[in-house]
Amino acid sequence: MPSLKLALVQLAVGAQKAANLARARSKVLEAAKAGANIVVLPECFNSPYGTQYFGQYAEEIDSAKPSPSIQALSDMARDSKVYLVGGSIPELEKSTGDLFNTCTVWSPEGQMVAKHRKLHLFDIDFPGKIVFKESEVLKPGNTLTDFSTPWGKFGVAICYDMRFPEVAMIAARRGCVGMIYPGAFNQTTGPLHWELLLRARAVDNQIFTAACSPALDSEATYHAWGHSTIVDPYARVVGTTADAEDIVYGTLDLDLVDEVRKSVPVYSQRRFDMYPDVSKIT
């Protein structure tokens, strides 16, 4: 296959869901027109990010009876003819009333091909800076997620999942060539760890990594870091931006995955006689 062009839509998200969906559609179509094959939206692309908003903006995810955001994502993917990693939306499971932070992935035909519920909930406390506890309103998911494309398999996880190396490790050992993270780090955690974690997951597993953030809205209650970023298997940043609305593009030469694994052959050097292979644990 030819090289893959990836686009990260660092979307300006506001309080009006319909406006967010329309803006996302415009940016996805723009990215497709620029030649992107996979387009990624940010975490909570249809709503402000915050525990006080999740219930208000939550939707059921049922492709047979699509809610407004699910219909919009299907239409975006089909009309732009791209693989669309649909950021995340607050998901309502009607049978239980539980809420999840959920990413859906769509084929170029507009079919849902994967669904990932955030595994690790964002509960942090930086004294004097930021306290945030997703677990006050959200439930965690229980499934590792990947999806197939003509260029290879990609793992999907959401934001705080990035801090847990096992997720990317398992994806890579199961054949994924990259990890994609819709995310929304903040003005405290972003400068500290956003790029560091992306480069760490890339160098650990010799894969591509990418994270897509909302743009910074200084008037919002939560201030996203932005800086949507793509990293190659050598842990080099190949595309990034600042905190304003933008689209980050990166051309992924997938031959680099084999190249780096031959140059630094850790896959054949691991000592599973000394420690477990987490990808084999059920």
Side-chain angles (χ1 to χ4, degrees):
M1 293 296 297
S3 293
L4 164 66
K5 189 168 185 178
L6 177 67
L8 310 179
V9 176
Q10 185 163 290
L11 191 70
V13 177
Q16 299 300 317
K17 182 187 287 188
N20 293 333
L21 297 179
R23 195 170 189 87
R25 176 181 173 84
S26 173
K27 293 298 181 181
V28 170
L29 291 172
E30 178 184 337
K33 189 175 181 180
N37 309 107
I38 298 178
V39 180
V40 185
L41 290 169
E43 183 177 22
C44 283
F45 85 95
N46 73 339
S47 71
Y49 183 69
T51 55
Q52 70 270 42
Y53 302 114
F54 293 146
Q56 176 185 350
Y57 287 81
E59 301 178 18
E60 290 184 83
I61 295 180
D62 183 347
S63 56
K65 297 184 296 181
S67 62
S69 297
I70 296 306
Q71 185 65 62
L73 288 166
S74 175
D75 291 346
M76 287 180 220
R78 184 191 64 243
D79 295 345
S80 59
K81 298 179 173 59
V82 299
Y83 285 89
L84 178 62
V85 179
S88 78
I89 68 169
E91 178 196 0
L92 170 65
E93 188 173 82
K94 196 170 184 179
S95 62
T96 63
D98 290 338
L99 297 174
F100 300 88
N101 187 342
T102 302
C103 174
T104 55
V105 182
W106 302 84
S107 74
E109 294 74 39
Q111 300 299 310
M112 189 190 306
V113 295
K115 184 175 89 168
H116 177 78
R117 289 171 167 173
K118 192 174 189 176
L119 298 171
H120 305 92
L121 299 182
F122 181 51
D123 287 6
I124 62 161
D125 185 351
F126 281 77
K129 294 183 179 180
I130 183 172
V131 176
F132 200 99
K133 295 192 181 299
E134 279 188 322
S135 64
E136 290 176 346
V137 295
L138 297 181
K139 298 289 187 183
N142 294 304
T143 305
L144 297 168
T145 309
D146 61 55
F147 67 99
S148 296
T149 76
W151 300 271
K153 289 199 304 181
F154 288 82
V156 178
I158 299 173
C159 198
Y160 201 58
D161 289 338
M162 197 191 311
R163 291 187 178 273
F164 299 85
E166 296 85 355
V167 177
M169 192 179 301
I170 292 168
R173 293 183 192 173
R174 292 180 177 175
C176 291
V177 296
M179 281 295 304
I180 297 174
Y181 301 93
F185 277 34
N186 55 66
Q187 298 290 314
T188 299
T189 60
L192 286 170
H193 298 144
W194 176 260
E195 182 182 309
L196 172 66
L197 286 166
L198 283 169
R199 296 181 70 191
R201 298 294 83 84
V203 76
D204 284 348
N205 301 293
Q206 299 173 319
I207 58 173
F208 288 91
T209 59
C212 184
S213 170
L216 170 65
D217 179 358
S218 298
E219 303 301 315
T221 56
Y222 183 90
H223 296 158
W225 172 237
H227 294 79
S228 298
T229 298
I230 303 168
V231 177
D232 77 8
Y234 283 107
R236 299 174 298 201
V237 173
V238 297
T240 192
T241 188
D243 56 22
E245 185 172 74
D246 198 2
I247 302 178
V248 176
Y249 296 99
T251 299
L252 311 190
D253 179 359
L254 297 172
D255 289 340
L256 283 180
V257 175
D258 288 336
E259 178 183 307
V260 69
R261 290 179 182 181
K262 289 176 181 176
S263 300
V264 186
V266 295
Y267 273 73
S268 62
Q269 296 170 332
R270 286 194 170 95
R271 293 287 308 276
F272 293 132
D273 58 325
M274 301 299 297
Y275 42 80
D277 180 354
V278 295
S279 70
K280 304 296 185 185
I281 298 171
T282 302

